[in-house]
Amino acid sequence: MSRPLHRGSSGGGVRILENCNDFWDDSQMKEKTEREDLDRSRTNGSHNTYLSIRFPFRFLFLDSLSSKHSLSDNGFVPDPFSPGTTRNRHKLSLALLKFSLIVIVVLALTGSFWWAISITSSARGQIFHGYRRLQEQLVSELYEISELSQGSSRLRDLEYCSQESENYVPCFNVSENLASGFSEGEEYNRHCAHGSSQHCLVLPPMNYKIPLRWPSGRDVIWFANVNITAQEVLSSGSLTKRMMMVDEDQISFRSGYSTFDVEDYTHQIAEMIGLRNESYFIQAGVRTILDIECGYGSFGAHLFSNKLLTMCIANYEASGSQVQLTLERGLPAMIGSFTSKQLPYPSLSFDMIHCARCRVEWDKKDGIYFVEVDRLLQPGGYFVWTDPLTNSQRSLRNKENQKKWNAVRGFAENLCWEMLPQQDETVVWRKTSKKNCYSARKPGSGPSLCSKGHDIESPYYRPLEACIAGTQSRRWIPIEDREKWPSRANLNSKELAIHGLHSEAFAEDAINWKSAVHNYWSLLSPLIFSDHPKRPGDEDPSPPYNMLRNVLDMNAHFGSFNAALLEAGKSVWVMNVVPTRGTNNLPLILDRGFIGVLHDW
């Protein structure tokens, strides 16, 4: 019994030993296999790392690359260095790469934003200059295309006017007015008949020459540019007309050519007001002046050097036009008459009104012309009248003249005007700045105050009114209480509120026009210097500040274009036109110390 047991135990021991040897062999084979897998894993890992550096976008092919090694060859769960773990590392690398791209984009956008707002003014100028060059080239090419495509048709549609129409002025045709029954001076007034306009291109005068640049053009003009004869020059009776001298092909306007000195004359007016000389007009609140029948503008030409702006108005003249010669000198002027219509200016527009032998019969029509002057004057403004009629010694010798002089003085007194000390043939009245003066007058003396329906702030060639206007306006501010020039051009919030305007809108408009003036001047540069030879790459020189003189703004809005030109140092004057069919900002423009007019385009 024991032997089988021994044999069984002995056999069993041998089997166990054999199994142990087998297990040992299997263990060694397993370790060997694992070492080989580890080596293979490391090799694959280093290879993948190389690929991740060499090909950063290989994550697009991760599925195909990692699918082969998702499990170990022996079927066990992979260790940390196994291909399965490498796939997880790829996913992590992909996430990090995406995050890095987002950070780079954000940093790029932030950097470009700060660069844009911190760019220097010089860099902006270079960018603007390059843009301007492209814009000029585009405009030039478009203009050439337009010339080529429309040249023949334009010649057919728009013909030249006849030589007789050289001095044609719309709404002023004396022959047509006479044929229509107008007389007693009415034929020279503005009458716009339907169908009387001409659809042709008015030619410049024969032998026309480019005017001399300001300020030379103020004193000398070309004789061929204006419609006037030498006989008309010599026979002219106005004070400022007598200051002309015809010299070959030029007309000179210098006080040295005559016995009348405009400087002495303006100095005299300043002394009558109580000032040392004309340079103190600004301090007295005088900036804008209306010169009635101005001759050829010498009064305003002299005052311009003292920063005073004078608007010349005169009747229509087919030949020897005061307005034409004044404009040719680079001075403000327009056709206007006191005969029967109110001038197209708002009430309370001018600081001074001047009349030197202006041929207005002030003593006629119950002083209605004085009433129109009163409407146009600012409270505290001045009316200057120079005429032989005012010479008391001569008037006493002629009863008719004495009667006219007494009538004129009575009209002025009934308007509450104060007469200042007289000198020679010149008289200065000052309009009252106190409204209660009108109620303090004797009953029935002088014109009454206009009712609300007749007190139109901005009439447009309406019939003359025989009542005192402007007293109900919020703009009734004495000239001594207004800001002095040039501060006057920038109205404060209180003054803007009078015109129903907010400071923000006013400031925004000013900024826009400052930029526009800068752009305009840049675009004008190549036009002026295009015929000047220069080397490639050279910049165009800046256009001269006085290259322009007479400027017409067809839709002036707030007058900010005018303000921007003056602020930029341009030696210009601007006729600020306010269309009758739009918002009427003309009172605001005139309150700023500019000049303008209503017009129906």
Side-chain angles (χ1 to χ4, degrees):
M1 293 290 293
S2 63
R3 185 172 294 181
L5 176 63
H6 174 73
R7 284 197 299 267
S9 63
S10 173
V14 173
R15 284 194 296 271
I16 292 173
L17 178 60
E18 289 176 355
N19 290 338
C20 288
N21 290 334
D22 293 337
F23 178 79
W24 175 254
D25 292 336
D26 292 339
S27 175
Q28 286 182 336
M29 291 181 64
K30 180 179 180 181
E31 288 179 0
K32 182 178 179 181
T33 303
E34 288 178 351
R35 281 197 301 269
E36 290 176 358
D37 291 340
L38 178 60
D39 293 336
R40 185 162 55 252
S41 174
R42 288 177 178 176
T43 303
N44 292 336
S46 61
H47 180 66
N48 290 338
T49 303
Y50 172 76
L51 289 176
S52 67
I53 298 173
R54 185 75 178 270
F55 305 102
F57 296 100
R58 77 187 193 287
F59 60 87
L60 296 172
F61 311 99
L62 283 178
D63 292 338
S64 62
L65 289 174
S66 60
S67 61
K68 298 178 182 179
H69 308 287
S70 59
L71 294 174
S72 302
D73 293 340
N74 55 15
F76 287 92
V77 178
D79 60 12
F81 300 98
S82 67
T85 305
T86 303
R87 183 177 182 181
N88 294 333
R89 292 172 60 195
H90 290 169
K91 293 182 178 180
L92 179 61
S93 300
L94 177 61
L96 290 174
L97 181 59
K98 291 182 178 180
F99 177 77
S100 300
L101 289 174
I102 294 174
V103 171
I104 292 172
V105 171
V106 171
L107 290 176
L109 292 176
T110 305
S112 63
F113 173 76
W114 284 110
W115 175 82
I117 64 175
S118 62
I119 188 171
T120 61
S121 58
S122 60
R124 283 200 303 267
Q126 295 174 359
I127 294 173
F128 169 77
H129 185 75
Y131 170 76
R132 180 170 63 82
R133 289 282 187 185
L134 294 175
Q135 188 181 37
E136 292 167 5
Q137 183 179 359
L138 176 61
V139 171
S140 176
E141 292 174 354
L142 290 176
Y143 180 78
E144 292 175 0
I145 294 173
S146 176
E147 287 285 316
L148 293 174
S149 62
Q150 299 181 7
S152 58
S153 62
R154 285 192 310 163
L155 291 176
R156 289 195 301 268
D157 296 338
L158 188 62
E159 298 179 352
Y160 292 115
C161 300
S162 62
Q163 197 66 33
E164 291 75 17
S165 301
E166 179 181 308
N167 295 291
Y168 166 74
V169 179
C171 300
F172 289 91
N173 191 316
V174 177
S175 58
E176 286 187 5
N177 292 341
L178 288 172
S180 300
F182 294 104
S183 60
E184 297 181 359
E186 278 291 320
E187 65 272 19
Y188 296 100
N189 283 345
R190 182 177 185 274
H191 300 284
C192 296
H194 294 288
S196 62
S197 60
Q198 299 189 26
H199 298 282
C200 56
L201 184 63
V202 179
L203 291 169
M206 193 73 68
N207 303 320
Y208 182 85
K209 295 182 179 181
I210 300 299
L212 300 177
R213 188 168 290 165
W214 180 272
S216 300
R218 174 189 58 191
D219 300 324
V220 179
I221 65 175
W222 299 110
F223 189 81
N225 290 6
V226 293
N227 185 23
I228 190 172
T229 63
Q231 183 62 32
E232 286 176 323
V233 173
L234 298 175
S235 62
S236 57
S238 172
L239 267 176
T240 51
K241 280 184 179 181
R242 295 207 312 263
M243 297 175 59
M244 300 169 57
M245 178 63 69
V246 179
D247 183 15
E248 295 181 359
D249 58 347
Q250 294 180 337
I251 301 177
S252 297
F253 300 86
R254 295 192 177 97
S255 58
Y257 291 136
S258 70
T259 58
F260 176 76
D261 192 330
V262 67
E263 184 175 357
D264 291 342
Y265 177 64
T266 55
H267 185 84
Q268 180 188 51
I269 295 173
E271 288 183 338
M272 296 173 67
I273 293 176
L275 307 175
R276 181 178 300 178
N277 53 52
E278 61 272 22
S279 63
Y280 288 85
F281 276 132
I282 291 289
Q283 297 183 13
V286 178
R287 156 67 179 172
T288 55
I289 301 173
L290 182 66
D291 194 2
I292 305 171
E293 293 289 326
C294 61
Y296 298 129
S298 295
F299 179 72
H302 174 71
L303 292 177
F304 189 84
S305 59
N306 294 305
K307 303 186 183 304
L308 300 178
L309 195 57
T310 304
M311 166 62 76
C312 163
I313 61 168
N315 288 324
Y316 170 77
E317 297 167 294
S319 179
S321 171
Q322 302 174 57
V323 171
Q324 184 186 27
L325 268 75
T326 302
L327 289 171
E328 188 69 21
R329 298 182 65 185
L331 301 169
M334 65 172 288
I335 297 174
S337 174
F338 267 82
T339 305
S340 59
K341 302 289 180 65
Q342 291 179 322
L343 294 175
Y345 308 118
S347 302
L348 317 177
S349 291
F350 297 94
D351 307 315
M352 178 183 288
I353 296 180
H354 174 255
C355 165
R357 301 184 180 181
C358 59
R359 296 179 299 179
V360 175
E361 296 180 312
W362 297 105
D363 59 303
K364 303 293 184 179
K365 297 187 177 181
D366 296 325
I368 197 170
Y369 302 139
F370 267 91
V371 175
E372 177 64 3
V373 170
D374 183 87
R375 182 186 73 84
L376 296 172
L377 273 178
Q378 293 268 13
Y382 301 94
F383 176 56
V384 181
W385 184 33
T386 298
D387 193 273
L389 185 66
T390 64
N391 191 315
S392 57
Q393 295 181 355
R394 295 180 182 178
S395 297
L396 290 175
R397 300 174 188 171
N398 188 312
K399 292 184 177 180
E400 185 65 24
N401 288 343
Q402 184 177 5
K403 181 180 179 181
K404 292 180 180 179
W405 173 231
N406 290 336
V408 168
R409 293 176 63 180
F411 294 149
E413 183 178 351
N414 290 335
L415 290 170
C416 288
W417 289 5
E418 176 189 2
M419 182 176 175
L420 304 180
Q422 182 179 350
Q423 290 189 23
D424 301 328
E425 296 181 352
T426 302
V427 179
V428 177
W429 282 281
R430 184 174 187 182
K431 178 180 175 177
T432 183
S433 58
K434 300 177 180 179
K435 298 180 183 180
N436 56 8
C437 176
Y438 301 117
S439 58
R441 295 177 302 172
K442 295 180 180 179
S445 62
S448 60
L449 301 182
C450 291
S451 62
K452 194 170 184 179
H454 291 270
D455 194 356
I456 307 299
E457 184 174 50
S458 298
Y460 186 65
Y461 296 107
R462 292 168 58 92
L464 290 171
E465 294 281 357
C467 57
I468 300 174
T471 58
Q472 302 182 44
S473 174
R474 298 175 60 192
R475 297 172 51 240
W476 182 283
I477 303 174
I479 61 172
E480 61 268 18
D481 295 339
R482 289 184 178 274
E483 290 286 342
K484 305 301 184 290
W485 181 263
S487 300
R488 177 175 171 180
N490 300 314
L491 302 180
N492 57 42
S493 57
K494 184 179 179 180
E495 292 170 327
L496 290 174
I498 294 176
H499 300 277
L501 189 64
H502 295 289
S503 302
E504 294 77 10
F506 185 75
E508 181 180 359
D509 190 64
I511 293 173
N512 292 338
W513 279 109
K514 287 178 185 178
S515 176
V517 166
H518 177 75
N519 294 340
Y520 290 167
W521 224 253
S522 299
L523 292 172
L524 286 170
S525 177
L527 299 179
I528 299 170
F529 299 104
S530 59
D531 57 340
H532 289 206
K534 62 176 184 176
R535 291 177 298 179
D538 287 352
E539 298 294 335
D540 289 323
S542 299
Y545 77 97
N546 60 347
M547 56 174 285
L548 300 177
R549 180 57 188 165
N550 299 351
V551 178
L552 178 69
D553 191 349
M554 298 178 64
N555 187 6
H557 202 41
F558 301 146
S560 298
F561 178 46
N562 190 345
L565 285 169
L566 296 181
E567 187 171 337
K570 313 306 179 186
S571 183
V572 302
W573 72 272
V574 180
M575 174 63 85
N576 295 284
V577 179
V578 176
T580 56
R581 298 185 182 183
T583 303
N584 182 18
N585 291 315
L586 187 57
L588 180 147
I589 292 172
L590 292 166
D591 285 351
R592 299 184 68 180
F594 306 145
I595 56 175
V597 66
L598 285 175
H599 185 68
D600 184 359
W601 291 109

